[in-house]
Amino acid sequence: MKIFLDTADLKEIERWLKTGILDGITTNPTILKSAGVTEPILAWKQIIGLIRKYISVPISLSMEVFSDSPEEMLKQARSFVNELKYEGTTIKIPILGIDGTDRLAVIRELAQQRIAVNCTACITWFQAFAAAKAGARYVSLLYRRIMDTGLDGGAEIRRTRRLINRHRLPSEIIVGSIRQKNDVLKAYGAGAHIVTIPPRFLPELLMNEKSVETQK
């Protein structure tokens, strides 16, 4: 069971890196924008600097491409890897483009170049399984977005985990789209290898009145 932090807020990243509980950090264009980031490469370099300050080994840092074109996705992914020179660099590639066509060939090509891929925006177990078969190191199932479609988020996670285990695929399930602390617990219970957690939920997960009462 691994914990990723879903943010680009440097203060929150530093706060939780100091605890030693993080196994990775995930960002996307929306997260970067909400953190006031205008230069993504600079922001990622600052995050990498904090990781190196507090952790002795590289941990995964997911960064999403900004293009929808397969050719541009490949170009941007390679440029991120070359610019950052960080072993934990993980490139986020969506399972589908805005035209509804898949991006499996992009995932495959990057994987063949030994570039770690986090296939994001997966809603169904089949999407996640296909991405794992294409070579994605991580497949991201969006828990609450799955629920929004009327599907059972836990069931999609469980089936994906069974398939990954059955076929011995070297992929891990990241569950994102967390909207409350119980989503985290349910995702781990369903078999997620990783949950990427917005910082505001970590204090809630750690808090328990009985612990406070015991300390008193």
Side-chain angles (χ1 to χ4, degrees):
M1 190 174 102
K2 297 179 182 179
I3 298 171
F4 281 16
L5 194 66
D6 199 28
T7 188
D9 184 317
L10 294 177
K11 289 184 179 179
E12 290 288 354
I13 290 170
E14 183 165 31
R15 174 188 176 184
W16 294 104
L17 281 171
K18 285 180 178 179
T19 69
I21 70 170
L22 297 185
D23 301 289
I25 297 165
T26 55
T27 67
N28 62 36
T30 301
I31 285 173
L32 292 171
K33 185 177 180 180
S34 67
V37 172
T38 56
E39 297 183 34
I41 291 289
L42 176 59
W44 292 325
K45 285 182 176 180
Q46 290 172 320
I47 294 170
I48 290 166
L50 289 173
I51 293 170
R52 287 173 170 160
K53 180 178 179 180
Y54 293 105
I55 299 183
S56 58
V57 296
I59 62 173
S60 175
L61 171 58
S62 283
M63 53 201 72
E64 189 165 346
V65 293
F66 296 95
S67 176
D68 190 62
S69 157
E71 294 76 16
E72 283 298 313
M73 285 180 173
L74 289 167
K75 184 178 178 181
Q76 286 184 7
R78 294 178 188 122
S79 71
F80 294 167
V81 170
N82 292 333
E83 178 75 17
L84 296 171
K85 295 180 173 61
Y86 172 63
E87 290 180 29
T89 296
T90 304
I91 305 299
K92 268 190 174 182
I93 301 293
I95 185 64
L96 300 177
I98 59 175
D99 62 355
T101 60
D102 70 82
R103 295 295 180 264
L104 294 174
V106 175
I107 295 167
R108 181 65 170 170
E109 186 163 342
L110 292 175
Q112 288 177 334
Q113 295 171 22
R114 298 189 177 182
I115 295 174
V117 174
N118 173 359
C119 179
T120 190
C122 294
I123 302 298
T124 69
W125 65 264
F126 189 83
Q127 289 177 324
F129 178 58
K133 290 276 286 180
R137 186 170 301 177
Y138 305 102
V139 291
S140 285
L141 284 162
L142 304 186
Y143 185 75
R144 277 290 165 179
R145 288 181 183 265
I146 293 170
M147 305 289 272
D148 290 343
T149 71
L151 295 172
D152 182 335
E156 298 301 315
I157 296 166
R158 285 190 292 273
R159 189 158 190 180
T160 303
R161 181 64 183 262
R162 286 198 300 270
L163 286 165
I164 285 174
N165 290 348
R166 184 182 304 160
H167 293 270
R168 299 181 181 179
L169 297 170
S171 301
E172 293 182 289
I173 300 166
I174 300 178
V175 172
S177 189
I178 298 300
R179 298 180 190 166
Q180 56 188 26
K181 73 171 185 179
N182 282 341
D183 293 345
V184 176
L185 305 178
K186 289 177 180 177
Y188 281 129
H193 298 92
I194 302 156
V195 179
T196 184
I197 307 172
R200 67 184 181 275
F201 294 125
L202 284 173
E204 292 182 25
L205 288 160
L206 288 165
M207 178 60 186
N208 188 287
E209 290 292 346
K210 185 58 69 174
S211 297
V212 177
E213 179 186 316
T214 301
Q215 173 60 4
K216 288 179 180 178

Short mmCIF file of all heavy atoms in Angstrom, two decimals, residues 84-137:
data_model
loop_
_atom_site.label_atom_id
_atom_site.label_comp_id
_atom_site.label_asym_id
_atom_site.label_seq_id
_atom_site.Cartn_x
_atom_site.Cartn_y
_atom_site.Cartn_z
N LEU A 84 14.48 17.30 -17.02
CA LEU A 84 14.48 17.12 -15.57
C LEU A 84 15.58 16.19 -15.08
O LEU A 84 16.07 16.34 -13.97
CB LEU A 84 13.11 16.60 -15.12
CG LEU A 84 11.96 17.58 -15.36
CD1 LEU A 84 10.62 16.91 -15.09
CD2 LEU A 84 12.11 18.83 -14.51
N LYS A 85 15.92 15.18 -15.88
CA LYS A 85 16.99 14.24 -15.49
C LYS A 85 16.77 13.70 -14.07
O LYS A 85 17.67 13.70 -13.23
CB LYS A 85 18.37 14.90 -15.63
CG LYS A 85 18.72 15.23 -17.07
CD LYS A 85 20.09 15.88 -17.16
CE LYS A 85 20.52 16.05 -18.62
NZ LYS A 85 19.60 16.91 -19.40
N TYR A 86 15.56 13.24 -13.83
CA TYR A 86 15.18 12.72 -12.51
C TYR A 86 14.64 11.31 -12.68
O TYR A 86 13.76 11.07 -13.50
CB TYR A 86 14.12 13.64 -11.89
CG TYR A 86 13.51 13.11 -10.62
CD1 TYR A 86 14.29 12.90 -9.48
CD2 TYR A 86 12.14 12.80 -10.55
CE1 TYR A 86 13.72 12.41 -8.32
CE2 TYR A 86 11.57 12.32 -9.39
CZ TYR A 86 12.37 12.12 -8.28
OH TYR A 86 11.80 11.63 -7.11
N GLU A 87 15.19 10.37 -11.92
CA GLU A 87 14.85 8.96 -12.09
C GLU A 87 13.38 8.65 -11.83
O GLU A 87 12.84 7.66 -12.33
CB GLU A 87 15.72 8.09 -11.18
CG GLU A 87 17.19 8.04 -11.61
CD GLU A 87 18.01 7.18 -10.67
OE1 GLU A 87 17.45 6.23 -10.08
OE2 GLU A 87 19.22 7.45 -10.52
N GLY A 88 12.72 9.49 -11.03
CA GLY A 88 11.33 9.24 -10.70
C GLY A 88 10.34 9.88 -11.65
O GLY A 88 9.12 9.79 -11.42
N THR A 89 10.83 10.48 -12.73
CA THR A 89 9.93 11.13 -13.68
C THR A 89 8.93 10.12 -14.26
O THR A 89 9.32 9.08 -14.79
CB THR A 89 10.73 11.78 -14.83
OG1 THR A 89 11.53 12.83 -14.30
CG2 THR A 89 9.78 12.35 -15.88
N THR A 90 7.66 10.45 -14.14
CA THR A 90 6.58 9.59 -14.64
C THR A 90 5.67 10.46 -15.50
O THR A 90 5.20 11.50 -15.04
CB THR A 90 5.79 8.98 -13.47
OG1 THR A 90 6.69 8.26 -12.62
CG2 THR A 90 4.71 8.04 -13.98
N ILE A 91 5.45 10.03 -16.72
CA ILE A 91 4.67 10.83 -17.67
C ILE A 91 3.22 10.39 -17.68
O ILE A 91 2.92 9.21 -17.91
CB ILE A 91 5.26 10.72 -19.10
CG1 ILE A 91 6.74 11.11 -19.11
CG2 ILE A 91 4.45 11.60 -20.05
CD1 ILE A 91 7.04 12.53 -18.67
N LYS A 92 2.33 11.33 -17.44
CA LYS A 92 0.90 11.04 -17.48
C LYS A 92 0.39 11.14 -18.91
O LYS A 92 0.52 12.18 -19.56
CB LYS A 92 0.12 12.04 -16.62
CG LYS A 92 -0.10 11.61 -15.19
CD LYS A 92 -1.08 12.58 -14.54
CE LYS A 92 -1.46 12.12 -13.15
NZ LYS A 92 -2.45 13.04 -12.55
N ILE A 93 -0.19 10.04 -19.37
CA ILE A 93 -0.81 9.99 -20.70
C ILE A 93 -2.27 9.56 -20.51
O ILE A 93 -2.53 8.53 -19.88
CB ILE A 93 -0.10 8.98 -21.62
CG1 ILE A 93 1.39 9.32 -21.79
CG2 ILE A 93 -0.81 8.89 -22.97
CD1 ILE A 93 1.66 10.59 -22.55
N PRO A 94 -3.23 10.31 -21.03
CA PRO A 94 -4.63 9.90 -20.88
C PRO A 94 -4.94 8.67 -21.73
O PRO A 94 -4.32 8.47 -22.77
CB PRO A 94 -5.41 11.12 -21.38
CG PRO A 94 -4.47 11.78 -22.35
CD PRO A 94 -3.09 11.56 -21.79
N ILE A 95 -5.87 7.87 -21.28
CA ILE A 95 -6.25 6.68 -22.03
C ILE A 95 -6.88 7.05 -23.37
O ILE A 95 -6.69 6.34 -24.37
CB ILE A 95 -7.20 5.77 -21.21
CG1 ILE A 95 -7.50 4.47 -21.95
CG2 ILE A 95 -8.48 6.49 -20.84
CD1 ILE A 95 -6.32 3.56 -22.18
N LEU A 96 -7.60 8.18 -23.42
CA LEU A 96 -8.26 8.62 -24.65
C LEU A 96 -7.95 10.08 -24.93
O LEU A 96 -7.77 10.88 -24.00
CB LEU A 96 -9.79 8.47 -24.53
CG LEU A 96 -10.36 7.07 -24.29
CD1 LEU A 96 -11.87 7.16 -24.13
CD2 LEU A 96 -9.99 6.12 -25.42
N GLY A 97 -7.91 10.42 -26.22
CA GLY A 97 -7.81 11.81 -26.62
C GLY A 97 -9.18 12.46 -26.63
O GLY A 97 -10.20 11.79 -26.40
N ILE A 98 -9.21 13.75 -26.90
CA ILE A 98 -10.49 14.45 -26.89
C ILE A 98 -11.41 14.00 -28.03
O ILE A 98 -12.61 14.24 -27.99
CB ILE A 98 -10.31 15.98 -26.93
CG1 ILE A 98 -9.55 16.42 -28.19
CG2 ILE A 98 -9.63 16.48 -25.67
CD1 ILE A 98 -9.45 17.92 -28.34
N ASP A 99 -10.84 13.33 -29.03
CA ASP A 99 -11.66 12.80 -30.12
C ASP A 99 -12.16 11.38 -29.83
O ASP A 99 -12.84 10.77 -30.65
CB ASP A 99 -10.89 12.82 -31.44
CG ASP A 99 -9.65 11.93 -31.40
OD1 ASP A 99 -9.33 11.37 -30.32
OD2 ASP A 99 -8.98 11.81 -32.44
N GLY A 100 -11.82 10.87 -28.64
CA GLY A 100 -12.28 9.53 -28.26
C GLY A 100 -11.40 8.39 -28.71
O GLY A 100 -11.70 7.23 -28.42
N THR A 101 -10.30 8.69 -29.41
CA THR A 101 -9.39 7.62 -29.84
C THR A 101 -8.37 7.33 -28.74
O THR A 101 -7.99 8.22 -27.98
CB THR A 101 -8.66 7.98 -31.14
OG1 THR A 101 -7.89 9.17 -30.94
CG2 THR A 101 -9.66 8.20 -32.27
N ASP A 102 -7.92 6.09 -28.70
CA ASP A 102 -7.04 5.68 -27.60
C ASP A 102 -5.61 6.19 -27.82
O ASP A 102 -5.22 6.55 -28.93
CB ASP A 102 -7.03 4.16 -27.46
CG ASP A 102 -6.34 3.48 -28.63
OD1 ASP A 102 -5.10 3.39 -28.62
OD2 ASP A 102 -7.05 3.04 -29.57
N ARG A 103 -4.87 6.19 -26.74
CA ARG A 103 -3.46 6.60 -26.76
C ARG A 103 -2.54 5.45 -26.34
O ARG A 103 -1.46 5.64 -25.80
CB ARG A 103 -3.25 7.81 -25.84
CG ARG A 103 -4.00 9.07 -26.30
CD ARG A 103 -3.46 9.57 -27.62
NE ARG A 103 -4.14 10.78 -28.10
CZ ARG A 103 -5.14 10.79 -28.98
NH1 ARG A 103 -5.60 9.63 -29.47
NH2 ARG A 103 -5.69 11.91 -29.37
N LEU A 104 -2.97 4.23 -26.63
CA LEU A 104 -2.21 3.05 -26.24
C LEU A 104 -0.85 2.98 -26.96
O LEU A 104 0.15 2.55 -26.37
CB LEU A 104 -3.02 1.78 -26.52
CG LEU A 104 -4.29 1.60 -25.69
CD1 LEU A 104 -5.07 0.39 -26.17
CD2 LEU A 104 -3.95 1.46 -24.21
N ALA A 105 -0.82 3.39 -28.22
CA ALA A 105 0.45 3.34 -28.96
C ALA A 105 1.47 4.30 -28.36
O ALA A 105 2.68 4.02 -28.35
CB ALA A 105 0.21 3.67 -30.44
N VAL A 106 1.00 5.44 -27.84
CA VAL A 106 1.89 6.40 -27.17
C VAL A 106 2.46 5.76 -25.91
O VAL A 106 3.68 5.83 -25.66
CB VAL A 106 1.14 7.70 -26.82
CG1 VAL A 106 2.03 8.63 -26.01
CG2 VAL A 106 0.66 8.39 -28.08
N ILE A 107 1.59 5.13 -25.13
CA ILE A 107 2.03 4.45 -23.92
C ILE A 107 3.06 3.38 -24.25
O ILE A 107 4.11 3.28 -23.60
CB ILE A 107 0.82 3.83 -23.19
CG1 ILE A 107 -0.11 4.93 -22.68
CG2 ILE A 107 1.28 2.93 -22.03
CD1 ILE A 107 -1.46 4.41 -22.22
N ARG A 108 2.77 2.61 -25.27
CA ARG A 108 3.66 1.52 -25.67
C ARG A 108 5.04 2.03 -26.08
O ARG A 108 6.08 1.50 -25.67
CB ARG A 108 3.02 0.75 -26.83
CG ARG A 108 3.84 -0.44 -27.33
CD ARG A 108 3.94 -1.51 -26.27
NE ARG A 108 4.51 -2.74 -26.79
CZ ARG A 108 4.89 -3.75 -26.03
NH1 ARG A 108 4.73 -3.68 -24.72
NH2 ARG A 108 5.39 -4.84 -26.56
N GLU A 109 5.05 3.09 -26.89
CA GLU A 109 6.33 3.61 -27.37
C GLU A 109 7.17 4.17 -26.22
O GLU A 109 8.38 3.94 -26.15
CB GLU A 109 6.11 4.68 -28.42
CG GLU A 109 7.40 5.16 -29.07
CD GLU A 109 7.20 5.91 -30.36
OE1 GLU A 109 6.12 5.80 -30.97
OE2 GLU A 109 8.14 6.61 -30.77
N LEU A 110 6.53 4.88 -25.31
CA LEU A 110 7.27 5.42 -24.16
C LEU A 110 7.80 4.29 -23.28
O LEU A 110 8.93 4.33 -22.81
CB LEU A 110 6.39 6.37 -23.36
CG LEU A 110 6.02 7.68 -24.06
CD1 LEU A 110 5.04 8.48 -23.21
CD2 LEU A 110 7.26 8.52 -24.36
N ALA A 111 6.96 3.28 -23.05
CA ALA A 111 7.38 2.15 -22.23
C ALA A 111 8.56 1.43 -22.85
O ALA A 111 9.49 1.01 -22.14
CB ALA A 111 6.21 1.19 -22.04
N GLN A 112 8.56 1.29 -24.17
CA GLN A 112 9.67 0.64 -24.85
C GLN A 112 10.96 1.45 -24.73
O GLN A 112 12.05 0.90 -24.82
CB GLN A 112 9.32 0.40 -26.32
CG GLN A 112 8.29 -0.69 -26.52
CD GLN A 112 7.88 -0.88 -27.97
OE1 GLN A 112 7.95 0.05 -28.78
NE2 GLN A 112 7.43 -2.08 -28.32
N GLN A 113 10.81 2.76 -24.51
CA GLN A 113 11.97 3.63 -24.30
C GLN A 113 12.32 3.73 -22.81
O GLN A 113 13.14 4.55 -22.41
CB GLN A 113 11.69 5.01 -24.87
CG GLN A 113 11.53 5.02 -26.38
CD GLN A 113 11.04 6.34 -26.92
OE1 GLN A 113 11.19 7.38 -26.29
NE2 GLN A 113 10.46 6.32 -28.10
N ARG A 114 11.69 2.90 -22.01
CA ARG A 114 11.91 2.84 -20.56
C ARG A 114 11.57 4.15 -19.87
O ARG A 114 12.23 4.56 -18.91
CB ARG A 114 13.35 2.40 -20.26
CG ARG A 114 13.66 1.01 -20.79
CD ARG A 114 14.99 0.49 -20.30
NE ARG A 114 15.23 -0.87 -20.78
CZ ARG A 114 16.30 -1.59 -20.47
NH1 ARG A 114 17.24 -1.08 -19.69
NH2 ARG A 114 16.44 -2.82 -20.95
N ILE A 115 10.53 4.79 -20.36
CA ILE A 115 9.99 5.97 -19.72
C ILE A 115 8.74 5.55 -18.97
O ILE A 115 7.83 4.96 -19.55
CB ILE A 115 9.66 7.07 -20.75
CG1 ILE A 115 10.95 7.57 -21.42
CG2 ILE A 115 8.91 8.23 -20.09
CD1 ILE A 115 10.71 8.55 -22.55
N ALA A 116 8.70 5.81 -17.67
CA ALA A 116 7.56 5.40 -16.86
C ALA A 116 6.32 6.18 -17.25
O ALA A 116 6.37 7.40 -17.40
CB ALA A 116 7.87 5.62 -15.38
N VAL A 117 5.22 5.45 -17.43
CA VAL A 117 3.96 6.08 -17.83
C VAL A 117 2.89 5.83 -16.77
O VAL A 117 2.74 4.72 -16.25
CB VAL A 117 3.46 5.51 -19.18
CG1 VAL A 117 2.07 6.06 -19.51
CG2 VAL A 117 4.44 5.83 -20.29
N ASN A 118 2.17 6.90 -16.46
CA ASN A 118 0.97 6.82 -15.63
C ASN A 118 -0.20 7.07 -16.57
O ASN A 118 -0.42 8.20 -17.01
CB ASN A 118 1.04 7.87 -14.52
CG ASN A 118 -0.25 7.97 -13.71
OD1 ASN A 118 -1.22 7.28 -13.97
ND2 ASN A 118 -0.24 8.84 -12.72
N CYS A 119 -0.92 6.02 -16.92
CA CYS A 119 -2.08 6.19 -17.81
C CYS A 119 -3.25 6.70 -16.99
O CYS A 119 -3.76 6.01 -16.10
CB CYS A 119 -2.46 4.88 -18.49
SG CYS A 119 -3.90 5.07 -19.58
N THR A 120 -3.67 7.91 -17.29
CA THR A 120 -4.67 8.57 -16.47
C THR A 120 -6.04 8.59 -17.15
O THR A 120 -6.18 8.20 -18.31
CB THR A 120 -4.21 10.01 -16.14
OG1 THR A 120 -5.09 10.57 -15.16
CG2 THR A 120 -4.19 10.89 -17.37
N ALA A 121 -7.03 9.01 -16.38
CA ALA A 121 -8.42 9.17 -16.84
C ALA A 121 -9.10 7.85 -17.18
O ALA A 121 -10.03 7.81 -17.98
CB ALA A 121 -8.50 10.13 -18.03
N CYS A 122 -8.66 6.76 -16.56
CA CYS A 122 -9.33 5.48 -16.76
C CYS A 122 -10.61 5.42 -15.92
O CYS A 122 -10.60 5.76 -14.73
CB CYS A 122 -8.42 4.31 -16.38
SG CYS A 122 -6.98 4.12 -17.44
N ILE A 123 -11.68 5.00 -16.55
CA ILE A 123 -12.98 4.89 -15.87
C ILE A 123 -13.39 3.43 -15.71
O ILE A 123 -14.05 3.07 -14.73
CB ILE A 123 -14.06 5.67 -16.65
CG1 ILE A 123 -13.67 7.14 -16.80
CG2 ILE A 123 -15.43 5.53 -15.98
CD1 ILE A 123 -13.51 7.90 -15.48
N THR A 124 -13.00 2.58 -16.65
CA THR A 124 -13.40 1.17 -16.60
C THR A 124 -12.19 0.25 -16.41
O THR A 124 -11.05 0.62 -16.73
CB THR A 124 -14.12 0.76 -17.90
OG1 THR A 124 -13.16 0.73 -18.98
CG2 THR A 124 -15.24 1.72 -18.24
N TRP A 125 -12.49 -0.94 -15.93
CA TRP A 125 -11.42 -1.92 -15.74
C TRP A 125 -10.77 -2.27 -17.08
O TRP A 125 -9.56 -2.51 -17.12
CB TRP A 125 -11.95 -3.19 -15.06
CG TRP A 125 -12.95 -3.97 -15.86
CD1 TRP A 125 -14.31 -3.89 -15.77
CD2 TRP A 125 -12.67 -4.94 -16.88
NE1 TRP A 125 -14.91 -4.75 -16.69
CE2 TRP A 125 -13.92 -5.41 -17.37
CE3 TRP A 125 -11.50 -5.46 -17.43
CZ2 TRP A 125 -14.02 -6.38 -18.38
CZ3 TRP A 125 -11.60 -6.42 -18.43
CH2 TRP A 125 -12.83 -6.86 -18.89
N PHE A 126 -11.55 -2.28 -18.16
CA PHE A 126 -10.96 -2.65 -19.44
C PHE A 126 -9.95 -1.60 -19.90
O PHE A 126 -8.89 -1.93 -20.44
CB PHE A 126 -12.03 -2.86 -20.52
CG PHE A 126 -11.46 -3.46 -21.78
CD1 PHE A 126 -11.29 -4.82 -21.89
CD2 PHE A 126 -11.05 -2.65 -22.83
CE1 PHE A 126 -10.73 -5.38 -23.04
CE2 PHE A 126 -10.49 -3.20 -23.98
CZ PHE A 126 -10.33 -4.57 -24.08
N GLN A 127 -10.27 -0.34 -19.73
CA GLN A 127 -9.31 0.72 -20.07
C GLN A 127 -8.01 0.53 -19.29
O GLN A 127 -6.91 0.60 -19.86
CB GLN A 127 -9.90 2.10 -19.77
CG GLN A 127 -11.01 2.55 -20.69
CD GLN A 127 -11.57 3.89 -20.26
OE1 GLN A 127 -11.66 4.20 -19.07
NE2 GLN A 127 -11.95 4.71 -21.24
N ALA A 128 -8.14 0.32 -17.98
CA ALA A 128 -6.96 0.17 -17.13
C ALA A 128 -6.16 -1.07 -17.51
O ALA A 128 -4.92 -1.04 -17.57
CB ALA A 128 -7.39 0.11 -15.66
N PHE A 129 -6.85 -2.17 -17.79
CA PHE A 129 -6.18 -3.40 -18.17
C PHE A 129 -5.45 -3.23 -19.50
O PHE A 129 -4.30 -3.66 -19.66
CB PHE A 129 -7.20 -4.54 -18.25
CG PHE A 129 -6.62 -5.86 -18.68
CD1 PHE A 129 -5.60 -6.46 -17.96
CD2 PHE A 129 -7.12 -6.52 -19.80
CE1 PHE A 129 -5.07 -7.68 -18.36
CE2 PHE A 129 -6.61 -7.74 -20.20
CZ PHE A 129 -5.58 -8.32 -19.48
N ALA A 130 -6.10 -2.57 -20.46
CA ALA A 130 -5.46 -2.33 -21.76
C ALA A 130 -4.21 -1.48 -21.60
O ALA A 130 -3.18 -1.74 -22.24
CB ALA A 130 -6.44 -1.65 -22.71
N ALA A 131 -4.28 -0.47 -20.76
CA ALA A 131 -3.12 0.40 -20.52
C ALA A 131 -1.98 -0.39 -19.89
O ALA A 131 -0.80 -0.22 -20.24
CB ALA A 131 -3.51 1.57 -19.64
N ALA A 132 -2.33 -1.27 -18.95
CA ALA A 132 -1.30 -2.12 -18.32
C ALA A 132 -0.66 -3.04 -19.35
O ALA A 132 0.56 -3.24 -19.36
CB ALA A 132 -1.92 -2.93 -17.18
N LYS A 133 -1.48 -3.61 -20.23
CA LYS A 133 -0.95 -4.47 -21.28
C LYS A 133 -0.05 -3.69 -22.24
O LYS A 133 0.93 -4.23 -22.77
CB LYS A 133 -2.12 -5.09 -22.08
CG LYS A 133 -2.93 -6.11 -21.31
CD LYS A 133 -2.32 -7.50 -21.36
CE LYS A 133 -2.54 -8.12 -22.72
NZ LYS A 133 -1.96 -9.49 -22.80
N ALA A 134 -0.35 -2.41 -22.45
CA ALA A 134 0.46 -1.58 -23.35
C ALA A 134 1.79 -1.19 -22.73
O ALA A 134 2.69 -0.72 -23.43
CB ALA A 134 -0.32 -0.32 -23.74
N GLY A 135 1.91 -1.36 -21.41
CA GLY A 135 3.19 -1.09 -20.77
C GLY A 135 3.19 0.01 -19.73
O GLY A 135 4.25 0.39 -19.22
N ALA A 136 2.01 0.54 -19.38
CA ALA A 136 1.96 1.59 -18.37
C ALA A 136 2.44 1.05 -17.02
O ALA A 136 2.02 -0.02 -16.60
CB ALA A 136 0.54 2.13 -18.23
N ARG A 137 3.32 1.80 -16.39
CA ARG A 137 3.77 1.40 -15.05
C ARG A 137 2.66 1.60 -14.02
O ARG A 137 2.54 0.86 -13.05
CB ARG A 137 5.01 2.21 -14.63
CG ARG A 137 5.60 1.75 -13.31
CD ARG A 137 6.95 2.40 -13.04
NE ARG A 137 7.91 2.08 -14.09
CZ ARG A 137 9.15 2.56 -14.13
NH1 ARG A 137 9.57 3.39 -13.18
NH2 ARG A 137 9.97 2.23 -15.10
#
